[in-house]
Amino acid sequence: MIAAREATRPRASCGGAARSLVAHALLALAACDPRDAATAATVPATAERAPAAITLLYTTDEHGWLLSTTEKGLVLGGAAEMLATWASREGHCVGPAPGAPSSLPPSPACQDPSTLALSGGDNWTGPAISSYFMGAPMADAMARMGYAVSAFGNHEFDFGRGAFLQNRTRSRATYLAANLRVMDPGLSAFALPPFAVFERRGLRIGVVGLATARTREAAAASRFEGIDFEDEEAALSRAIPEAWRAGPDALVLVAHVCQDVIEPIVARHPAWRLSFVGAGHCHRKAELRVGGVPLVNPGWRLRSYARVSLEIDPRRPLQQRVVSTSAEVVDVSHPERAPAVPPDEALVEASAGWQRALDEALGEQIGYSSDGMERDSAEIQRWIAGAWREQLGVDIAILNKDGIRQAVPKGPITKATVFSVLPFDNKLVICSLTGSELLETLRNRDAVLVGLSPAGNDRYVLHDGRLLNEGRRYTVATIDFLYFGGDGFRFQAQDPSPRWTGLDWRAPVIAWTRALGTSSSAPLDARFR
């Protein structure tokens, strides 16, 4: 836990600005909840409002992890479990149940909420229960969980731009990105506000959102044609003063940016007077203080959240109203047979319905794993890339480590297992590369090459025993994301005229696994040890 009390040094008041709210902030609020926009425009004078405590609930990189997982006797995460914890521990008010009318009035206990749920982005691409349905199940869960805001993550367009607009509507969250620039006038629907202001307990909380400037490199670049991403620091230097001119009582930042990137930026700008910074994108937990400002990355997969308490006194001058802040990361876990609180019933029922639909579509068993295969293991890499090499008849298969998103659990392997391990909609492409170009590719830290092994003395041998010849050409199967430069690969420059297969990258894995006929007595993972 990290906590600090703000110094009370004099600062110039900006009372006039505090009473004006810029138009695009009001529009952003209306997109989330019309009540927020209405109250934001009619905030009473500062002297009429009383001090209060507001709690921010921050998660990031949820990646569609609706369901909890069990490891070593502990139940970890889950949307229903997270919401139950928020409601019981934080007094958070739930949103409408999936399928219920969104126009229902809030309960009397939720007329004046004290919590604000925020996300750092990358909401829905992950396990098959979300990805197969293009993120809709996770978007519904976000609405039930009452998220007000999400930063724009690099994976929000994974299912296409249209799916993003649909999921944004379903989630009822306002998406923010101070550095997203729409270059094509025909794409105005994707112009996102840099900030929004929300009322809680008569106080106004300003939230600035930020995407990573590397969004186009960290996802399929073709999905972002006509859209660009500005340098993070330059965008914040413009957006934060603009947000303060809207007169919030406190200002926070949610950024789909790694903590090691955003930390020095915040450190260089103490005049921004931020009260909290939520980081993301890197999937690594962090609890830091930057010049007294809590900077937290609670980790991914809905296994934990940041609880940030802001003590606010609206009678003080603008930018001096946050009297104290405290922040801690709360893990959502419990022993397998002793849940801390019952999970949210509406989300349990909704998830069960999506699971039934998934089982009907992808429930076919195609193999068996006796021990499971870890996400970063050589076994899972050989399984995936080996299937490409065998099914496509190429010399070598190359994938990126980060393309593998989860482990293979022990037990039956279904089509859904493959969709969960490989959730992105990539297509396979066959390139012709020289031996020297393959050696260059090996220097990419994210590269996984199957069909090529070290033979000592700086030599490499192919799967059939041939020594790699630097001047000879070899056929290589990879995916379109890597071909177009994702994760720093150079396939397009190395082979401008590849063969496009049109195959989904999961199809050969499913076909090859089924053909192997593995079972509990002859498991799949035993083949790759």
Side-chain angles (χ1 to χ4, degrees):
M1 178 171 174
I2 48 182
R5 182 165 293 275
E6 180 182 278
T8 57
R9 62 185 181 275
R11 178 173 292 271
S13 174
C14 300
R19 289 188 291 272
S20 65
L21 189 63
V22 296
H24 66 249
L26 284 171
L27 292 173
L29 296 170
C32 176
D33 190 334
R35 291 171 297 158
D36 282 315
T39 54
T42 59
V43 173
T46 300
E48 299 174 12
R49 298 183 292 146
I54 305 299
T55 301
L56 309 179
L57 306 173
Y58 176 72
T59 65
T60 187
D61 296 275
E62 299 83 10
H63 280 290
W65 281 84
L66 286 174
L67 306 180
S68 60
T69 56
T70 302
E71 296 179 9
K72 299 179 181 179
L74 281 179
V75 177
L76 305 174
E81 289 78 3
M82 178 75 75
L83 180 55
T85 301
W86 286 0
S88 63
R89 173 174 172 156
E90 315 294 355
H92 182 63
C93 296
V94 302
S102 60
S103 58
L104 291 176
S107 65
C110 292
Q111 293 286 350
D112 190 21
S114 63
T115 59
L116 187 65
L118 311 171
S119 169
D122 273 6
N123 306 132
W124 34 67
T125 306
I129 193 171
S130 179
S131 293
Y132 184 74
F133 301 105
M134 302 177 69
M138 187 65 209
D140 287 350
M142 289 177 68
R144 174 66 174 172
M145 296 174 78
Y147 279 95
V149 158
S150 177
F152 185 86
N154 56 292
H155 288 297
E156 303 325 351
F157 282 2
D158 277 357
F159 308 116
R161 295 171 174 176
F164 166 73
L165 295 179
Q166 294 170 6
N167 287 335
R168 180 175 65 176
T169 299
R170 294 179 79 130
S171 73
R172 305 184 74 221
T174 299
Y175 280 76
L176 304 174
N179 57 336
L180 186 152
R181 293 285 170 268
V182 173
M183 315 304 290
D184 182 346
L187 299 176
S188 59
F190 303 98
L192 302 180
F195 72 93
V197 179
F198 299 86
E199 183 175 317
R200 294 294 185 270
R201 292 287 168 94
L203 302 172
R204 299 195 299 176
I205 311 301
V207 185
V208 178
L210 188 69
T212 172
R214 296 191 65 256
T215 295
R216 293 174 62 90
E217 292 78 36
S222 61
R223 297 191 176 107
F224 297 96
E225 290 181 4
I227 296 174
D228 204 0
F229 294 86
E230 186 183 0
D231 172 78
E232 294 98 343
E233 188 166 5
L236 290 177
S237 295
R238 181 181 59 253
I240 289 176
E242 185 180 358
W244 275 120
R245 287 194 290 273
D249 298 303
L251 190 64
V252 304
L253 169 65
V254 292
H256 195 72
V257 178
C258 299
Q259 50 266 24
D260 56 343
V261 175
I262 198 64
E263 179 185 7
I265 295 175
V266 174
R268 287 192 290 269
H269 297 277
W272 285 350
R273 304 288 288 178
L274 296 170
S275 295
F276 167 69
V277 177
H281 187 46
C282 287
H283 304 172
R284 299 191 309 269
K285 283 186 178 180
E287 294 182 75
L288 308 171
R289 278 270 174 184
V290 186
V293 180
L295 190 159
V296 181
N297 182 337
W300 69 320
R301 296 186 174 186
L302 280 178
R303 291 185 173 186
S304 53
Y305 67 96
R307 181 190 190 276
V308 184
S309 178
L310 305 179
E311 296 282 348
I312 301 173
D313 185 349
R315 300 167 300 186
R316 299 177 64 185
L318 187 70
Q319 299 189 14
Q320 297 182 41
R321 294 173 184 167
V322 177
V323 178
S324 69
T325 63
S326 65
E328 63 176 322
V329 173
V330 180
D331 292 328
V332 178
S333 64
H334 60 81
E336 194 168 358
R337 292 179 174 82
V341 292
D344 180 71
E345 184 177 346
L347 280 184
V348 169
E349 292 179 359
S351 297
W354 287 112
Q355 185 64 55
R356 287 191 296 271
L358 182 67
D359 290 342
E360 184 176 346
L362 299 178
E364 176 195 348
Q365 181 174 339
I366 58 173
Y368 191 91
S369 174
S370 59
D371 300 319
M373 293 183 281
E374 292 299 322
R375 179 191 175 199
D376 57 355
S377 67
E379 290 82 6
I380 201 170
Q381 295 167 0
R382 294 189 195 113
W383 171 50
I384 296 166
W388 298 352
R389 196 183 62 74
E390 292 288 342
Q391 292 286 298
L392 298 177
V394 295
D395 295 315
I396 297 164
I398 301 177
L399 72 154
N400 56 323
K401 294 175 184 176
D402 202 42
I404 303 170
R405 302 302 278 190
Q406 70 176 74
V408 173
K410 63 182 180 181
I413 298 173
T414 66
K415 289 181 179 179
T417 305
V418 179
F419 271 75
S420 293
V421 173
L422 304 174
F424 308 116
D425 288 337
N426 294 318
K427 296 291 189 280
L428 287 165
V429 57
I430 297 176
C431 302
S432 174
L433 269 63
T434 65
S436 62
E437 289 169 336
L438 286 169
L439 294 177
E440 176 189 342
T441 301
L442 275 171
R443 290 193 287 270
N444 186 312
R445 291 180 298 176
D446 205 36
V448 174
L449 279 71
V450 171
L452 187 68
S453 305
N457 298 321
D458 294 326
R459 297 185 303 169
Y460 290 85
V461 62
L462 275 73
H463 63 92
D464 56 7
R466 289 177 294 156
L467 283 174
L468 183 73
N469 184 325
E470 291 191 28
R472 183 175 176 179
R473 288 198 166 272
Y474 300 91
T475 53
V476 177
T478 189
I479 54 176
D480 51 358
F481 167 61
L482 301 184
Y483 178 81
F484 287 116
D487 285 348
F489 286 85
R490 299 186 61 253
F491 293 119
Q492 187 174 20
Q494 293 164 339
D495 182 3
S497 303
R499 178 159 66 90
W500 299 97
T501 68
L503 279 175
D504 184 286
W505 65 330
R506 295 167 287 224
V509 180
I510 292 171
W512 192 52
T513 304
R514 185 191 291 116
L516 291 175
T518 57
S519 63
S520 57
S521 58
L524 177 71
D525 37 319
R527 298 178 60 92
F528 305 111
R529 292 176 186 148

